[in-house]
Amino acid sequence: MTVVETRRCRTCLPQETDTDWLLTIDAEVMDQVPDAEYEARLTHCAACPFRQQDTCLKCGCYVSYRARLATKHCPLNVW
């Protein structure tokens, strides 16, 4: 199965398998934050008015995906 076959649109909620393949691909080239930092990032995002389900309305990315990667930051500079 290729990435093109499994990719979903940004307006659809990511499913567990979508997140798994995304993190597997990026884990090879991008550092991930520790679990405690990941949870802290998600806590900040949970209270954000720009979060709609798992999508950030400021940058259009999946919140759960962006919060996991060490090279990514909140577009509002919260984390």
Side-chain angles (χ1 to χ4, degrees):
M1 184 179 302
T2 66
V3 172
V4 175
E5 292 173 356
T6 60
R7 185 165 184 174
R8 296 167 52 96
C9 72
R10 286 186 172 198
T11 59
C12 298
L13 286 177
Q15 296 183 5
E16 189 172 326
T17 54
D18 294 334
T19 304
D20 288 346
W21 73 260
L22 286 170
L23 291 177
T24 300
I25 292 169
D26 284 340
E28 297 173 3
V29 294
M30 300 176 90
D31 292 331
Q32 295 183 23
V33 297
D35 289 341
E37 184 176 346
Y38 174 66
E39 293 300 325
R41 288 178 172 196
L42 290 180
T43 299
H44 286 293
C45 292
C48 182
F50 294 103
R51 181 178 179 169
Q52 182 177 12
Q53 296 174 332
D54 195 46
T55 302
C56 174
L57 298 179
K58 276 297 204 182
C59 66
C61 71
Y62 291 131
V63 173
S64 57
Y65 174 69
R66 186 178 192 96
R68 178 55 82 176
L69 300 175
T71 57
K72 301 292 184 181
H73 301 283
C74 170
L76 300 174
N77 295 320
V78 174
W79 45 263

